[in-house]
Amino acid sequence: EEVRQMLYQMEKGGTGGRIKVPHAFEERCQRQERFLEALRQSYEIIGINRSWQNKMLYQRKVMASQMEEMSKLLFDCSAMMGYDKRGEECWEKVLRKCLKREKVLMSYIRFYENAGKRKEVFLTARSKRGSCPSERVADILSGVLKVPMVPARECRLAVYEETALFHFSEDVNYRVLTGVTQLPKDGETVCGDLFSVMRLEKGKDIFLLTDGMGSGKTAMEEGKQTLELMEQLLDAGFHEEETLRLANSAITFGIERTMYSSIDLLSFNLFTGVMKIMKAGSAATFIVKRDRVEVIRSRTLPAGLLWEVEFDVLYKKLYDGDSVVLVSDGILDSVDGENPEDELKGWLSTVYGENPKQAADKVMNWALEQALGARRDDMSVMVLHIWKKNHSITRQKAKYQEK
């Protein structure tokens, strides 16, 4: 019981503090100092062992989640594309006639639907003479299938006299224009904040903004590892939540245990216009609309501080003309006031509808004016402008569709 009381004191005040020895124990023990030293060492060893056991348990949990994510990826690959037989004979017959008028001979064609129920077309063709642009073929496909089609990213630019394979996919409904402005902290040569813009095959645009611990080159090198890991995971097909968890695990169990980083991850669906916003200890994000400005604040800790961390996740439907403004802590720290987010929110309506790069420059200049030109931290602004595409069918497409 007396030893339990001393251990309780260590648990409350740490092993370095003074321990009050019970009077009865003090009378019986002839080697108090040596006993207390051994008790402190045993307590520290037990604490270290428990810490490593917790780490091992968490690593097992991370490995289990990785295996689960891999199984989802394999399942998605198996269901990625299905053969579409609806109207296949009619589509093929009309398409051959339309391409003949363009001096293009088609030898093989297959219609598919991907996992997102979007149409994809693979065909082999050659030109009788000269060349025919792939966009012209996409226009004909749009009229026949009654959906907007475009050449896929890896598709050839034109049909030439030699036979080749062409890939066309359903066109997206939205585009995102991006503008970024960065300035380093006073006395630093480089900005420690990092950003990334990715286009995924699933019809998604990914936007990343990280703010590492400290500033300058050190913060840049630490944030670079996190950003590259997230890019590789997203490109491999991992979902956004699992990507953030694995990035947090990599930071937490890295060599530099004191490293941490705030993360903004935005995933925009180019077909539906829905943006998924994920934040880990980052500065506020602003959505600028025609009639109002919305503020999205983060209530979680940065990645790398805890083994298990929750992330703020929010879904927002965006429309043509809306803008999203991402800032690092350096922008808000430049504002002297209790609510810098509210002050920036009140001013941001002035940049609605502007070019993203010009809007980012204006936000940066506004922050510098608030701080009287002083840069207390690395400063970054990323502005995303949403633009909805107009898929009106041209007369030529309508003519193919009628025939």
Side-chain angles (χ1 to χ4, degrees), residues 107-119:
S107 56
Y108 168 89
I109 187 169
R110 282 293 179 269
F111 303 92
Y112 293 94
E113 275 193 354
N114 57 27
K117 302 298 180 182
R118 308 295 176 183
K119 293 187 182 299

Side-chain angles (χ1 to χ4, degrees), residues 294-361:
E294 298 180 16
V295 183
I296 300 172
R297 296 177 172 87
S298 177
R299 298 178 177 84
T300 56
L301 295 173
L305 284 179
L306 299 176
W307 301 339
E308 292 189 79
V309 63
E310 295 295 329
F311 305 102
D312 296 306
V313 182
L314 186 68
Y315 292 86
K316 281 287 182 181
K317 171 66 177 177
L318 301 180
Y319 300 91
D320 186 32
D322 291 349
S323 295
V324 181
V325 180
L326 296 171
V327 298
S328 63
D329 291 335
I331 297 294
L332 297 178
D333 290 344
S334 63
V335 181
D336 291 328
E338 295 182 358
N339 297 309
E341 293 93 348
D342 293 337
E343 293 192 30
L344 181 55
K345 173 187 175 181
W347 177 85
L348 273 177
S349 58
T350 61
V351 302
Y352 176 79
E354 290 206 11
N355 177 281
K357 177 58 178 173
Q358 293 177 353
D361 293 340

